[in-house]
Amino acid sequence: MTDYQTRRFFAASNSCRGFCNYYGDIFTDERTDRLYIIKGGPGTGKSHFMKEVARYAYTRGYRITEYACSSDPHSLDGILLSKVGAPTWGLLDGTAPHVREPALPGAKEEIINLGAFWDGNRLAGQRAVIRSLGEAKAAAYGRAYAYLAACGEADRVADSFLAGGVREDKIRALAGRILRDQPCGKAFSAVPALRRAVSMTGTCCLHTFEAEAHAAGGTILCLTDYYGIGYCVMAALLALSKEKSLSVLVSYDPVFPHKIDGLYYPDTNLCVLLGHAELPENAASRIISLRRYVDPEALRAVRGELRHAGGMRDYLAESALHELSAAAKYHFELEKIYAAAMDFRAKEAFTQSFCEELFWK
């Protein structure tokens, strides 16, 4: 499912601040009528369960918002199912590292326990192996997060060198021009919808913003970054969006979650991207160079330091990816062990009955 009826983002990231989870801003009371929290070990089919529910909902005209796993983009962390005149359902993976427990059990949330379909005795026989793989995976993630934390410090150093050369007045003026034709809204909302992830299988970028803007006849603006100036423009755009009470989807940088790398305005289908754009054929797009928004004299004095800090940042990010790749080996071995202990026939029968009951309501 890759058409306009289905959109795909990330709901978390492996970042310089550790694991950064946006569940609390996405699966809110205002955005869901009922929430299903899925529990189970690796390889028990949590992601497949959500994909099957989404496929069932798709055939009944629901719009699907998929939230891919930031560590394994082929898997899902959650889905939202919406349709005019019908309740909005949310399903999410409630296991570590994005643990979620019911706040209003039964009244708002339900727990789906896929552990009901595994052979506990078989898993108990593999206890030592499971513990060993889990500890090795946690150690690899620990090293990855240490590298990402150092990456964040290198980025902070780079920002400190750049600060004196930023032409903030021109950046605010640019933000004003970009949003000039956006009519003021009724209430400001900024919902996380991450485009990118630093995962166990490498870096990944989803192109939902530009695809959706193009499908709806909107405009795509691509900012060509210049030593991090693009993040300043994005911050100015979000501040102005709040002033104008606009509704916006916000893509936070996966490594630096205090920075923004994409904005999408669903009411007018305006898309503003910082790097990593994939423009559809014949898309209404424009490229904006940010060179003029830095004082050239101030930049000339610190260009060497900026390049050095940027090089260190890139090296540390690559080191983090190496450790995440090591974690993948242990993670997928754990998935095999749990999958072998599952009664998937019974689980799929449960999935079918769950879908029939959910969409009958």
Side-chain angles (χ1 to χ4, degrees):
M1 295 183 294
T2 57
D3 56 65
Y4 185 53
Q5 190 180 331
T6 301
R7 53 187 2 186
R8 189 176 178 89
F9 304 112
F10 293 105
S13 68
N14 297 308
S15 80
C16 66
R17 298 177 179 175
F19 183 74
C20 193
N21 178 10
Y22 298 92
Y23 270 13
D25 297 310
I26 295 171
F27 296 96
T28 62
D29 284 345
E30 295 76 19
R31 303 188 78 221
T32 58
D33 293 296
R34 198 155 186 85
L35 186 63
Y36 294 88
I37 302 170
I38 307 168
K39 301 288 187 177
T44 55
K46 299 185 295 294
S47 175
H48 185 72
F49 175 79
M50 286 186 275
K51 290 177 181 178
E52 287 298 306
V53 175
R55 187 173 291 111
Y56 200 96
Y58 181 89
T59 63
R60 282 150 181 80
Y62 279 76
R63 190 175 194 198
I64 320 299
T65 303
E66 298 179 340
Y67 292 97
C69 174
S70 57
S71 288
D72 179 12
H74 296 293
S75 294
L76 293 181
D77 272 350
I79 55 175
L80 281 175
L81 313 174
S82 59
K83 182 180 178 181
V84 175
T88 296
W89 312 111
L91 290 85
L92 57 83
D93 182 342
T95 59
H98 31 59
V99 176
R100 178 74 175 247
E101 299 297 339
L104 298 170
K108 176 63 185 282
E109 303 104 338
E110 296 281 356
I111 289 179
I112 296 173
N113 177 26
L114 297 188
F117 303 104
W118 64 35
D119 183 339
N121 291 327
R122 182 168 182 171
L123 291 172
Q126 301 253 32
R127 184 181 304 162
V129 176
I130 291 172
R131 178 181 290 116
S132 177
L133 289 171
E135 290 173 350
K137 176 184 171 182
Y141 263 100
R143 293 189 293 270
Y145 286 140
Y147 278 126
L148 288 171
C151 181
E153 289 301 303
D155 188 66
R156 185 179 62 81
V157 170
D159 285 347
S160 70
F161 282 120
L162 183 64
V166 177
R167 291 177 164 172
E168 295 183 2
D169 55 339
K170 288 194 172 185
I171 286 176
R172 285 193 294 269
L174 173 62
R177 291 194 298 274
I178 290 174
L179 297 183
R180 179 175 51 206
D181 297 328
Q182 301 293 305
C184 290
K186 296 180 180 179
F188 171 70
S189 69
V191 178
L194 278 65
R195 304 170 56 230
R196 297 190 295 135
V198 176
S199 77
M200 294 188 297
T201 54
T203 57
C204 177
C205 184
L206 305 174
H207 299 286
T208 304
F209 281 2
E210 52 264 54
E212 192 164 314
H214 177 58
T219 301
I220 304 169
L221 301 181
C222 302
L223 308 182
T224 57
D225 196 25
Y226 194 60
Y227 290 106
I229 289 296
Y231 293 116
C232 300
V233 177
M234 288 295 192
L237 284 169
L238 187 62
L240 184 54
S241 298
K242 188 173 184 178
E243 290 179 19
K244 299 187 70 170
S245 299
L246 300 178
S247 175
V248 59
L249 298 181
V250 184
S251 174
Y252 295 99
D253 187 288
V255 178
F256 314 115
H258 56 294
K259 296 182 174 183
I260 298 167
D261 69 8
L263 295 168
Y264 183 70
Y265 297 86
D267 292 337
T268 57
N269 301 299
L270 170 67
C271 169
V272 187
L273 304 176
L274 179 59
H276 309 280
E278 185 176 276
L279 297 178
E281 187 176 356
N282 300 320
S285 62
R286 183 159 59 95
I287 296 175
I288 301 176
S289 173
L290 300 180
R291 274 182 171 269
R292 73 172 91 173
Y293 300 96
V294 178
D295 183 333
E297 292 299 323
L299 182 63
R300 190 175 298 114
V302 297
R303 184 174 280 117
E305 288 85 351
L306 278 169
R307 287 175 176 169
H308 178 70
M312 289 298 296
R313 179 184 57 208
D314 294 344
Y315 173 76
L316 290 162
E318 285 296 323
S319 299
L321 282 170
H322 176 77
E323 291 300 333
L324 288 172
S325 177
K329 172 186 175 183
Y330 308 118
H331 174 78
F332 293 126
E333 285 299 318
L334 281 168
E335 282 197 341
K336 290 178 183 177
I337 292 173
Y338 276 86
M342 287 290 292
D343 182 350
F344 283 115
R345 181 176 296 179
K347 184 228 166 193
E348 293 310 313
F350 166 77
T351 302
Q352 180 66 26
S353 63
F354 174 85
C355 290
E356 290 173 355
E357 180 181 354
L358 182 66
F359 295 104
W360 175 82
K361 293 178 180 179

